[in-house]
Amino acid sequence: KANGKNIVMIAAGWEYRAEEGLTMLAKILSQKHGFTCTVLFAINKENGTIDPNTADNIPGLEMLAEADMLIMLGMMLELPDSQLKPLVQYVESGKPILAFRCTVLAFKNLEKRGSPYANYDLESSTGSGGFGGLVLGERWRGHHGHHAVESTRGLVNGRYRKHPILKGVAGDIWGPTDVYQIDYLPEDAVVLAYAQVLKGMKPDDPPNFHK
């Protein structure tokens, strides 16, 4: 199945309960698909517990040196350079990264403190776009729709309905979230689904074509 491949996950997103979601994903990937999965959490430095509100401490990132893939859900992190270094080294290795939603906002205040990794700062004065712009292809731009008032329908692109990522997806996708904006899409990008803002918080609500 997985041919002994190692996946390291970074779960440090306070808004989307990354410590719960990525743990469940790790269980699926390990038990059903044979991958070796390690989940790294934001850890409270005072009591040693998993703490989504801790932004400056994710122990174990050196394990990325042996990883075959990184899966990440992290937001507004202020990691010390000693912890950022193995992450940057992994990125520069060219190995695959799967990043969820708010990871385009992964790091802040790096430039302010003079970090050598200031380009990863979402407010970098270099115009890099931060981790999102440099690594994921797009920085944070904003929202379409109103949070907790309008939801999203994912319109599956029929051209790619047989894509492996869409295996098991019978129709369109719905989520109780708003839609992230994007200003730039590479010509060779493979768009599996297009997001449509709905006028309410139910899957069958009509679209809001003004968003």
Side-chain angles (χ1 to χ4, degrees):
K1 289 183 177 180
N3 298 317
K5 298 295 185 181
N6 296 313
I7 299 177
V8 171
M9 301 184 182
I10 297 175
W14 57 267
E15 187 172 6
Y16 296 103
R17 303 315 304 251
E19 76 282 3
E20 296 180 3
L22 290 196
T23 301
M24 289 187 280
L25 179 59
K27 183 176 181 180
I28 293 169
L29 291 175
S30 60
Q31 295 187 3
K32 293 192 175 183
H33 300 284
F35 290 94
T36 298
C37 295
T38 303
V39 185
L40 305 178
F41 302 100
I43 300 295
N44 187 298
K45 289 184 284 189
E46 293 184 2
N47 57 34
T49 61
I50 296 172
D51 179 10
N53 293 310
T54 291
D56 60 353
N57 186 42
I58 303 177
L61 286 167
E62 65 277 0
M63 298 183 71
L64 284 169
E66 304 299 325
D68 297 295
M69 182 178 186
L70 166 63
I71 298 178
M72 182 174 178
L73 176 51
M75 179 179 182
M76 301 288 197
L77 301 173
E78 301 183 60
L79 297 181
D81 295 338
S82 59
Q83 293 187 6
L84 275 170
K85 183 177 180 179
L87 175 62
V88 174
Q89 290 174 334
Y90 178 87
V91 171
E92 293 177 347
S93 75
K95 294 179 182 178
I97 299 171
L98 172 62
F100 292 105
R101 197 169 170 87
C102 59
T103 309
V104 295
L105 291 158
F107 302 105
K108 69 173 184 176
N109 291 334
L110 304 183
E111 186 170 88
K112 183 185 295 184
R113 73 165 192 249
S115 170
Y117 311 116
N119 268 357
Y120 278 22
D121 192 322
L122 64 93
E123 298 295 340
S124 174
S125 62
T126 66
S128 68
F131 185 81
L134 286 171
V135 179
L136 305 180
E138 181 59 295
R139 58 163 296 157
W140 165 250
R141 300 290 180 182
H143 290 270
H144 296 289
H146 295 292
H147 185 63
V149 176
E150 296 176 311
S151 57
T152 301
R153 179 180 294 131
L155 302 172
V156 173
N157 187 344
R159 183 180 299 175
Y160 299 112
R161 186 167 289 280
K162 294 184 179 180
H163 192 283
I165 292 178
L166 293 173
K167 183 177 180 181
V169 178
D172 290 332
I173 306 161
W174 177 80
T177 62
D178 42 82
V179 180
Y180 274 11
Q181 295 177 8
I182 184 170
D183 288 356
Y184 169 73
L185 195 65
E187 291 184 1
D188 60 350
V190 176
V191 179
L192 302 182
Y194 293 91
Q196 182 182 65
V197 178
L198 304 183
K199 290 185 176 180
M201 295 298 292
K202 299 189 298 295
D204 57 353
D205 281 329
N208 185 343
F209 292 113
H210 299 290
K211 297 295 183 182

Short mmCIF file of all heavy atoms in Angstrom, two decimals, residues 79-115:
data_model
loop_
_atom_site.label_atom_id
_atom_site.label_comp_id
_atom_site.label_asym_id
_atom_site.label_seq_id
_atom_site.Cartn_x
_atom_site.Cartn_y
_atom_site.Cartn_z
N LEU A 79 6.86 30.65 15.28
CA LEU A 79 7.84 29.67 15.73
C LEU A 79 9.23 30.28 15.81
O LEU A 79 9.61 31.13 14.99
CB LEU A 79 7.87 28.49 14.76
CG LEU A 79 6.59 27.66 14.64
CD1 LEU A 79 6.80 26.52 13.66
CD2 LEU A 79 6.14 27.13 16.00
N PRO A 80 10.04 29.82 16.77
CA PRO A 80 11.43 30.26 16.83
C PRO A 80 12.19 29.73 15.62
O PRO A 80 11.80 28.73 15.01
CB PRO A 80 11.94 29.64 18.14
CG PRO A 80 11.05 28.48 18.38
CD PRO A 80 9.71 28.87 17.86
N ASP A 81 13.29 30.39 15.28
CA ASP A 81 14.06 29.98 14.11
C ASP A 81 14.54 28.54 14.20
O ASP A 81 14.64 27.85 13.18
CB ASP A 81 15.25 30.93 13.92
CG ASP A 81 14.81 32.35 13.59
OD1 ASP A 81 13.68 32.53 13.10
OD2 ASP A 81 15.60 33.28 13.85
N SER A 82 14.83 28.07 15.41
CA SER A 82 15.30 26.70 15.58
C SER A 82 14.24 25.68 15.15
O SER A 82 14.58 24.58 14.68
CB SER A 82 15.69 26.45 17.04
OG SER A 82 14.58 26.67 17.90
N GLN A 83 12.97 26.03 15.29
CA GLN A 83 11.90 25.13 14.86
C GLN A 83 11.54 25.37 13.39
O GLN A 83 11.13 24.43 12.69
CB GLN A 83 10.68 25.30 15.75
CG GLN A 83 10.90 24.83 17.18
CD GLN A 83 9.64 24.83 18.03
OE1 GLN A 83 8.54 25.08 17.54
NE2 GLN A 83 9.79 24.56 19.31
N LEU A 84 11.70 26.60 12.94
CA LEU A 84 11.42 26.89 11.54
C LEU A 84 12.43 26.24 10.60
O LEU A 84 12.10 25.84 9.49
CB LEU A 84 11.43 28.40 11.31
CG LEU A 84 10.13 29.15 11.58
CD1 LEU A 84 10.38 30.64 11.53
CD2 LEU A 84 9.05 28.75 10.58
N LYS A 85 13.67 26.12 11.05
CA LYS A 85 14.74 25.63 10.18
C LYS A 85 14.43 24.29 9.54
O LYS A 85 14.55 24.15 8.31
CB LYS A 85 16.06 25.57 10.95
CG LYS A 85 17.25 25.15 10.08
CD LYS A 85 18.55 25.17 10.88
CE LYS A 85 19.72 24.74 10.00
NZ LYS A 85 21.00 24.78 10.74
N PRO A 86 14.02 23.24 10.30
CA PRO A 86 13.73 21.97 9.65
C PRO A 86 12.54 22.04 8.70
O PRO A 86 12.48 21.30 7.72
CB PRO A 86 13.47 21.00 10.81
CG PRO A 86 13.19 21.87 11.99
CD PRO A 86 13.96 23.12 11.78
N LEU A 87 11.60 22.94 8.98
CA LEU A 87 10.47 23.11 8.06
C LEU A 87 10.94 23.72 6.75
O LEU A 87 10.56 23.26 5.66
CB LEU A 87 9.40 23.99 8.71
CG LEU A 87 8.21 24.35 7.82
CD1 LEU A 87 7.44 23.11 7.40
CD2 LEU A 87 7.30 25.35 8.51
N VAL A 88 11.78 24.75 6.84
CA VAL A 88 12.31 25.38 5.63
C VAL A 88 13.14 24.37 4.84
O VAL A 88 13.06 24.30 3.60
CB VAL A 88 13.15 26.62 5.99
CG1 VAL A 88 13.84 27.19 4.75
CG2 VAL A 88 12.27 27.68 6.64
N GLN A 89 13.94 23.59 5.53
CA GLN A 89 14.75 22.57 4.85
C GLN A 89 13.87 21.56 4.13
O GLN A 89 14.19 21.11 3.02
CB GLN A 89 15.67 21.87 5.85
CG GLN A 89 16.78 22.77 6.37
CD GLN A 89 17.60 22.12 7.46
OE1 GLN A 89 17.13 21.24 8.20
NE2 GLN A 89 18.85 22.56 7.60
N TYR A 90 12.76 21.20 4.75
CA TYR A 90 11.84 20.27 4.09
C TYR A 90 11.26 20.90 2.82
O TYR A 90 11.22 20.28 1.76
CB TYR A 90 10.69 19.86 5.03
CG TYR A 90 9.71 18.93 4.34
CD1 TYR A 90 9.92 17.56 4.33
CD2 TYR A 90 8.62 19.44 3.64
CE1 TYR A 90 9.06 16.72 3.66
CE2 TYR A 90 7.75 18.60 2.95
CZ TYR A 90 7.98 17.24 2.97
OH TYR A 90 7.14 16.40 2.29
N VAL A 91 10.81 22.14 2.94
CA VAL A 91 10.25 22.84 1.78
C VAL A 91 11.27 22.88 0.64
O VAL A 91 10.95 22.59 -0.52
CB VAL A 91 9.81 24.26 2.15
CG1 VAL A 91 9.44 25.06 0.90
CG2 VAL A 91 8.62 24.23 3.12
N GLU A 92 12.49 23.22 0.97
CA GLU A 92 13.53 23.34 -0.05
C GLU A 92 13.95 22.00 -0.64
O GLU A 92 14.56 21.96 -1.70
CB GLU A 92 14.74 24.06 0.54
CG GLU A 92 14.43 25.53 0.89
CD GLU A 92 15.60 26.25 1.53
OE1 GLU A 92 16.56 25.57 1.95
OE2 GLU A 92 15.54 27.50 1.62
N SER A 93 13.57 20.91 0.02
CA SER A 93 13.89 19.58 -0.52
C SER A 93 13.01 19.23 -1.72
O SER A 93 13.33 18.32 -2.48
CB SER A 93 13.69 18.51 0.57
OG SER A 93 12.30 18.25 0.80
N GLY A 94 11.90 19.94 -1.87
CA GLY A 94 11.01 19.68 -3.00
C GLY A 94 10.02 18.55 -2.78
O GLY A 94 9.27 18.20 -3.70
N LYS A 95 9.97 18.02 -1.58
CA LYS A 95 9.02 16.94 -1.29
C LYS A 95 7.60 17.50 -1.19
O LYS A 95 7.41 18.69 -0.99
CB LYS A 95 9.41 16.23 0.00
CG LYS A 95 10.74 15.48 -0.09
CD LYS A 95 11.08 14.83 1.25
CE LYS A 95 12.41 14.11 1.19
NZ LYS A 95 12.76 13.51 2.51
N PRO A 96 6.59 16.64 -1.31
CA PRO A 96 5.20 17.13 -1.39
C PRO A 96 4.67 17.72 -0.09
O PRO A 96 5.03 17.30 1.01
CB PRO A 96 4.41 15.88 -1.79
CG PRO A 96 5.25 14.73 -1.35
CD PRO A 96 6.67 15.18 -1.52
N ILE A 97 3.78 18.70 -0.26
CA ILE A 97 3.12 19.36 0.86
C ILE A 97 1.63 19.45 0.55
O ILE A 97 1.24 19.88 -0.55
CB ILE A 97 3.66 20.78 1.09
CG1 ILE A 97 5.15 20.75 1.42
CG2 ILE A 97 2.89 21.49 2.19
CD1 ILE A 97 5.80 22.13 1.45
N LEU A 98 0.81 19.04 1.49
CA LEU A 98 -0.63 19.24 1.41
C LEU A 98 -1.00 20.19 2.54
O LEU A 98 -0.77 19.89 3.71
CB LEU A 98 -1.40 17.92 1.57
CG LEU A 98 -2.92 18.02 1.70
CD1 LEU A 98 -3.53 18.64 0.45
CD2 LEU A 98 -3.54 16.65 1.97
N ALA A 99 -1.55 21.35 2.19
CA ALA A 99 -1.85 22.36 3.20
C ALA A 99 -3.33 22.71 3.15
O ALA A 99 -3.89 22.89 2.06
CB ALA A 99 -1.01 23.62 2.98
N PHE A 100 -3.95 22.82 4.31
CA PHE A 100 -5.37 23.13 4.39
C PHE A 100 -5.60 24.60 4.69
O PHE A 100 -4.94 25.20 5.53
CB PHE A 100 -6.04 22.28 5.47
CG PHE A 100 -6.10 20.81 5.14
CD1 PHE A 100 -5.25 19.90 5.76
CD2 PHE A 100 -7.01 20.34 4.21
CE1 PHE A 100 -5.31 18.56 5.46
CE2 PHE A 100 -7.08 18.99 3.91
CZ PHE A 100 -6.23 18.10 4.53
N ARG A 101 -6.55 25.17 4.03
CA ARG A 101 -7.19 26.46 4.27
C ARG A 101 -6.27 27.55 4.84
O ARG A 101 -5.50 28.15 4.12
CB ARG A 101 -8.42 26.28 5.17
CG ARG A 101 -9.36 27.49 5.13
CD ARG A 101 -10.67 27.20 5.81
NE ARG A 101 -11.48 28.40 5.99
CZ ARG A 101 -12.32 28.91 5.11
NH1 ARG A 101 -12.44 28.35 3.93
NH2 ARG A 101 -13.03 29.99 5.38
N CYS A 102 -6.32 27.76 6.16
CA CYS A 102 -5.66 28.93 6.75
C CYS A 102 -4.14 28.81 6.78
O CYS A 102 -3.46 29.71 7.29
CB CYS A 102 -6.20 29.20 8.15
SG CYS A 102 -5.98 27.82 9.28
N THR A 103 -3.58 27.74 6.22
CA THR A 103 -2.13 27.63 6.16
C THR A 103 -1.53 28.70 5.25
O THR A 103 -0.33 28.97 5.32
CB THR A 103 -1.71 26.21 5.71
OG1 THR A 103 -2.39 25.25 6.52
CG2 THR A 103 -0.22 25.99 5.90
N VAL A 104 -2.34 29.34 4.41
CA VAL A 104 -1.84 30.49 3.64
C VAL A 104 -1.48 31.63 4.58
O VAL A 104 -0.79 32.58 4.17
CB VAL A 104 -2.86 30.96 2.59
CG1 VAL A 104 -3.09 29.90 1.53
CG2 VAL A 104 -4.17 31.39 3.23
N LEU A 105 -1.94 31.55 5.83
CA LEU A 105 -1.63 32.55 6.86
C LEU A 105 -0.69 31.95 7.90
O LEU A 105 -0.76 32.29 9.08
CB LEU A 105 -2.92 32.98 7.56
CG LEU A 105 -3.92 33.80 6.75
CD1 LEU A 105 -5.31 33.69 7.35
CD2 LEU A 105 -3.51 35.24 6.69
N ALA A 106 0.20 31.09 7.48
CA ALA A 106 0.93 30.23 8.42
C ALA A 106 1.77 30.99 9.46
O ALA A 106 1.76 30.63 10.63
CB ALA A 106 1.82 29.25 7.66
N PHE A 107 2.50 32.03 9.06
CA PHE A 107 3.49 32.64 9.96
C PHE A 107 3.36 34.16 10.01
O PHE A 107 3.07 34.80 9.00
CB PHE A 107 4.90 32.26 9.53
CG PHE A 107 5.14 30.78 9.49
CD1 PHE A 107 5.20 30.11 8.28
CD2 PHE A 107 5.27 30.05 10.66
CE1 PHE A 107 5.39 28.74 8.24
CE2 PHE A 107 5.47 28.69 10.64
CZ PHE A 107 5.53 28.03 9.42
N LYS A 108 3.60 34.71 11.19
CA LYS A 108 3.59 36.17 11.34
C LYS A 108 4.72 36.61 12.27
O LYS A 108 5.31 35.80 12.99
CB LYS A 108 2.25 36.64 11.90
CG LYS A 108 2.00 36.25 13.35
CD LYS A 108 0.73 36.89 13.88
CE LYS A 108 0.51 36.59 15.35
NZ LYS A 108 -0.67 37.28 15.90
N ASN A 109 5.02 37.89 12.22
CA ASN A 109 6.01 38.56 13.08
C ASN A 109 7.43 38.01 12.92
O ASN A 109 8.28 38.25 13.78
CB ASN A 109 5.59 38.48 14.56
CG ASN A 109 4.38 39.33 14.85
OD1 ASN A 109 4.13 40.32 14.16
ND2 ASN A 109 3.61 38.96 15.86
N LEU A 110 7.71 37.32 11.83
CA LEU A 110 9.08 36.83 11.60
C LEU A 110 9.99 37.99 11.19
O LEU A 110 11.13 38.08 11.64
CB LEU A 110 9.08 35.75 10.51
CG LEU A 110 8.18 34.53 10.74
CD1 LEU A 110 8.36 33.53 9.61
CD2 LEU A 110 8.47 33.88 12.09
N GLU A 111 9.49 38.86 10.34
CA GLU A 111 10.29 39.99 9.89
C GLU A 111 10.56 40.95 11.05
O GLU A 111 11.67 41.47 11.18
CB GLU A 111 9.57 40.71 8.76
CG GLU A 111 10.39 41.82 8.12
CD GLU A 111 9.74 42.34 6.85
OE1 GLU A 111 8.92 43.27 6.95
OE2 GLU A 111 10.05 41.82 5.76
N LYS A 112 9.57 41.16 11.88
CA LYS A 112 9.71 42.09 13.00
C LYS A 112 10.84 41.69 13.93
O LYS A 112 11.55 42.54 14.47
CB LYS A 112 8.39 42.15 13.78
CG LYS A 112 8.40 43.15 14.93
CD LYS A 112 7.10 43.07 15.73
CE LYS A 112 5.92 43.49 14.89
NZ LYS A 112 4.65 43.51 15.69
N ARG A 113 11.04 40.40 14.12
CA ARG A 113 12.08 39.96 15.03
C ARG A 113 13.41 39.69 14.32
O ARG A 113 14.39 39.25 14.94
CB ARG A 113 11.64 38.70 15.78
CG ARG A 113 11.59 37.42 14.98
CD ARG A 113 11.50 36.21 15.91
NE ARG A 113 11.74 34.98 15.23
CZ ARG A 113 10.80 34.05 15.00
NH1 ARG A 113 9.57 34.23 15.42
NH2 ARG A 113 11.12 32.93 14.36
N GLY A 114 13.46 39.93 13.02
CA GLY A 114 14.70 39.77 12.28
C GLY A 114 15.04 38.35 11.95
O GLY A 114 16.22 37.99 11.80
N SER A 115 14.04 37.49 11.78
CA SER A 115 14.29 36.09 11.46
C SER A 115 14.89 35.95 10.07
O SER A 115 14.53 36.67 9.14
CB SER A 115 12.97 35.31 11.51
OG SER A 115 13.14 34.01 10.98
#
